[in-house]
Structures are given as C-alpha cells and as structure tokens.
Amino acid sequence: MTRFHATLRAIGDLDDDFYAEEFQRDAWNEASAIGFQLWLWSALIAAAILPWIGGSAGCWTALGLLVAAGSISATVVRYFRMRSRIDPHASARWRRPRTALVLTLYAAAVFGLVVHLADSVPGELWFGAVIGMVAGATAAVVATMRARRDAAGPDDDE
C-alpha cells in the first residue's frame, strides 16, 4: 500500500468496523457520493457568483473554491483509479446537460476572476496563467484521447 493510499484510508477512516457490514458500507458510499457532488456544485455556483458580488475578496475566495474543488476531485479520481484499476473517464458520457452546466459555471467563474482581477494582478502573472490554462486544456484533451483509445482496446492492425 502506498503512502498516498494509506493517508486517504486514514482520512476516510476506512478501517473502522462500520465498513465491515456491506449494506452499511454501500449506503454510506452512496451518501458520501451525494455529499461530494453537493459540495462540488455548491463550490462551482459560489465561485461563479462571488467575483460579481464580493469584489476582490470574493474573487480570491472563488479562486480558493476552484482550487479546492479541482484538487479534491483529482484526489478522488486518483484514489478510485488506484483502488479499482478502472479509469472513470473512459466510460463517462460527456454530452449531457450536467456537463454543459459545469463548464458554464466554471467559465463564468474564470471570466469573473479575469474581469475583476485584471487591474490588480501583474501582467506577468496573467501571462503565466494563460500559459497554464493552455497547457491544462491540452493535457485534458490528450488524457481524454488516451482514455478513449485505451477503452477501445488494442488495434487489430498492430
């Protein structure tokens, strides 16, 4: 077991006797999934609204929410991949209203941050942020293409 895995098991208290009974474990897992999704939606909605109603302080709070939501989501996916050896993105349905809403909220948050922080953040930082966004978007596209290729299986031509 890796240190990452052991740390997350300790955070989740997964060795508690509560998890020994299968029905309790399944019900708790469903409740936790609902709680996780509720937190993500709340963070995205707040991050989209805060720059417009909270000024500079709202912008920094929104940025913190986006970083926290992204970090926690990435940790959940990494743990799931490590535990199950399944890529959750490989079978994901991306063309859904839910996906469009998430992207819209995220875009509204980023747009609000750019509009309200443009004057208070040095140009070099904006340049780095743009480079980071392009690199992140490129990495996301490459990862999605790889996941689809891996889900499709090996080619017969090779």
Side-chain angles (χ1 to χ4, degrees), residues 65-134:
L65 286 170
L66 291 175
V67 169
S71 300
I72 291 169
S73 296
T75 301
V76 168
V77 169
R78 182 174 172 202
Y79 181 85
F80 178 78
R81 281 182 181 159
M82 183 178 58
R83 181 85 167 98
S84 68
R85 304 207 191 297
I86 297 171
D87 181 3
H89 298 302
S91 62
R93 295 179 300 141
W94 296 101
R95 293 184 182 160
R96 301 184 330 169
R98 175 186 181 101
T99 305
L101 183 56
V102 166
L103 292 175
T104 301
L105 288 170
Y106 186 76
V110 170
F111 181 70
L113 290 171
V114 170
V115 167
H116 289 90
L117 293 178
D119 295 335
S120 63
V121 176
E124 298 83 19
L125 185 59
W126 281 118
F127 180 74
V130 169
I131 296 298
M133 284 188 267
V134 169

Side-chain angles (χ1 to χ4, degrees), residues 3 5 12 18 39 59 61 74 88 156:
R3 183 172 293 180
H5 188 209
F18 176 84
W39 187 88
C59 286
T61 303
D156 293 331

Side-chain angles (χ1 to χ4, degrees), residues 27-39 98:
W28 183 254
N29 287 341
E30 287 180 14
S32 294
I34 291 167
F36 174 61
Q37 290 295 317
L38 182 61
W39 187 88
R98 175 186 181 101

